Amino acid sequence: MTLEPFGARLRRAMDTRGPLCVGIDPHASLLADWGLPDTIDGLERFTRTVVEALADRVAVLKPQSAFFERFGSRGIAVLEQAVADSREAGALVLMDAKRGDIGSTMAAYAATYLDPASPLFSDAVTVSPYLGYGSLRPALDLARESGTGVFVLALTSNPEGAEVQHAVRADGVSVAATMLDHLRAENADAAPMGSYGAVVGATLGGSLGAARADLDINGPLLAPGIGAQGATAADLPKVFGAAVRDVVPNVSRGVLRHGPDAAALRASAERFAAEVREAVSAADPAAG
């Protein structure tokens, strides 16, 4: 089975449902805030509530795999069901797994999330390129073959990331810029948008500096940091410049804290999506 390319499907979902990705992050403190036990039953109730509330209306849902893996095989079963139910309701699923390895191991990770025969088959997956961009080739090739997408960590918002991502090669090009250059090449000639994206923190603001010019990769830019981490929709044009139309803002706690009330979850997601759409349209009238 080969789907329509992920970039085209994502562009359509963002245009029709609003440019927003909502994380599914059932960490222990959030389960407690919802009045749920930190057990497999609490995990299942939390996840089902989020999927039922949002999967028929948001563009992207992003389960954080680690919060399911910690419950072992039963947690993975909950994740499998969430992926299937979300996709059936029309949401694109971005598996936040941040996998990165070499050779046959990377190929196995790719098959886990991007092979249509896999129980965890998702529309896209996050990957780490810091064993070298070439180590991602099994995932990049399978994504192209299956019509799925890959989001590569490039300019993350955590302070520790700078020691690797801002490091400069002998030719004066930063590691992050190198990753963006690779992605731009993968997306060459894709329309309306490529399927190979970068993760770039919405909280970076002025620290991007000259790197802002490298963000036009003809592909999606997953932007964590909206909401609880301090960034707002209004910050997006300032951070991403001309690439703002391709930004997929990621909100997790900003929406999830309104649970377990399904109506409140929906209202929060719709409010964030409206704010993002307004900010993008103001910066790029053609995107309105």
Side-chain angles (χ1 to χ4, degrees), residues 94-107:
L94 168 56
M95 184 64 69
D96 195 355
K98 298 185 180 71
R99 301 301 192 229
D101 216 304
I102 59 173
S104 59
T105 307
M106 190 65 225

Side-chain angles (χ1 to χ4, degrees), residues 26-68:
H27 49 77
S29 62
L30 190 51
L31 293 177
D33 289 344
W34 280 36
L36 297 173
D38 188 23
T39 64
I40 193 67
D41 290 337
L43 175 74
E44 196 279 331
R45 288 168 58 191
F46 175 95
T47 306
R48 185 178 65 247
T49 298
V50 174
V51 171
E52 289 179 351
L54 300 179
D56 66 343
R57 63 196 62 219
V58 302
V60 184
L61 285 175
K62 183 176 70 67
Q64 169 48 259
S65 182
F67 292 124
F68 296 85

Side-chain angles (χ1 to χ4, degrees), residues 153-237:
L153 303 180
L155 284 159
T156 58
S157 56
N158 61 304
E160 303 87 351
E163 68 183 54
V164 174
Q165 296 158 21
H166 293 181
V168 177
R169 306 184 326 180
D171 60 4
V173 178
S174 73
V175 172
T178 300
M179 299 307 158
L180 295 168
D181 286 343
H182 283 304
L183 292 168
R184 189 177 300 106
E186 301 285 352
N187 290 323
D189 302 322
M193 179 168 65
S195 299
Y196 300 93
V199 180
V200 179
T203 55
L204 293 177
S207 67
L208 277 177
R212 184 178 289 103
D214 296 319
L215 295 179
D216 187 4
I217 61 170
N218 190 34
L221 300 167
L222 181 69
I226 301 290
Q229 293 184 47
T232 68
D235 294 325
L236 295 176

Side-chain angles (χ1 to χ4, degrees), residues 2-287:
T2 300
L3 299 169
E4 180 184 15
F6 172 72
R9 293 187 289 126
L10 177 60
R11 177 82 274 159
R12 185 167 56 249
M14 292 168 65
D15 290 345
T16 57
R17 291 186 168 208
L20 190 69
C21 169
V22 178
I24 306 179
D25 297 355
H27 49 77
S29 62
L30 190 51
L31 293 177
D33 289 344
W34 280 36
L36 297 173
D38 188 23
T39 64
I40 193 67
D41 290 337
L43 175 74
E44 196 279 331
R45 288 168 58 191
F46 175 95
T47 306
R48 185 178 65 247
T49 298
V50 174
V51 171
E52 289 179 351
L54 300 179
D56 66 343
R57 63 196 62 219
V58 302
V60 184
L61 285 175
K62 183 176 70 67
Q64 169 48 259
S65 182
F67 292 124
F68 296 85
E69 293 172 31
R70 70 191 184 98
F71 289 97
S73 61
R74 295 177 69 192
I76 297 299
V78 173
L79 180 58
E80 289 178 8
Q81 190 65 54
V83 170
D85 290 347
S86 297
R87 298 188 74 239
E88 184 177 1
L92 298 176
V93 173
L94 168 56
M95 184 64 69
D96 195 355
K98 298 185 180 71
R99 301 301 192 229
D101 216 304
I102 59 173
S104 59
T105 307
M106 190 65 225
Y109 281 137
T112 300
Y113 305 109
L114 303 179
D115 185 335
S118 170
L120 285 170
F121 177 61
S122 303
D123 296 284
V125 64
T126 58
V127 294
S128 174
Y130 295 111
L131 285 173
Y133 183 85
S135 68
L136 302 178
R137 184 50 55 190
L140 301 169
D141 289 347
L142 184 52
R144 194 177 302 277
E145 176 185 329
S146 61
T148 53
V150 171
F151 284 85
V152 176
L153 303 180
L155 284 159
T156 58
S157 56
N158 61 304
E160 303 87 351
E163 68 183 54
V164 174
Q165 296 158 21
H166 293 181
V168 177
R169 306 184 326 180
D171 60 4
V173 178
S174 73
V175 172
T178 300
M179 299 307 158
L180 295 168
D181 286 343
H182 283 304
L183 292 168
R184 189 177 300 106
E186 301 285 352
N187 290 323
D189 302 322
M193 179 168 65
S195 299
Y196 300 93
V199 180
V200 179
T203 55
L204 293 177
S207 67
L208 277 177
R212 184 178 289 103
D214 296 319
L215 295 179
D216 187 4
I217 61 170
N218 190 34
L221 300 167
L222 181 69
I226 301 290
Q229 293 184 47
T232 68
D235 294 325
L236 295 176
K238 294 178 287 186
V239 175
F240 294 95
V244 69
R245 185 170 183 265
D246 294 334
V247 171
V248 188
N250 174 220
V251 180
S252 294
R253 283 172 291 174
V255 169
L256 299 179
R257 66 184 179 86
H258 294 282
D261 182 272
L265 288 169
R266 286 192 286 267
S268 179
E270 289 168 0
R271 182 171 61 255
F272 274 112
E275 290 173 355
V276 171
R277 194 192 297 273
E278 180 180 357
V280 171
S281 295
D284 179 10

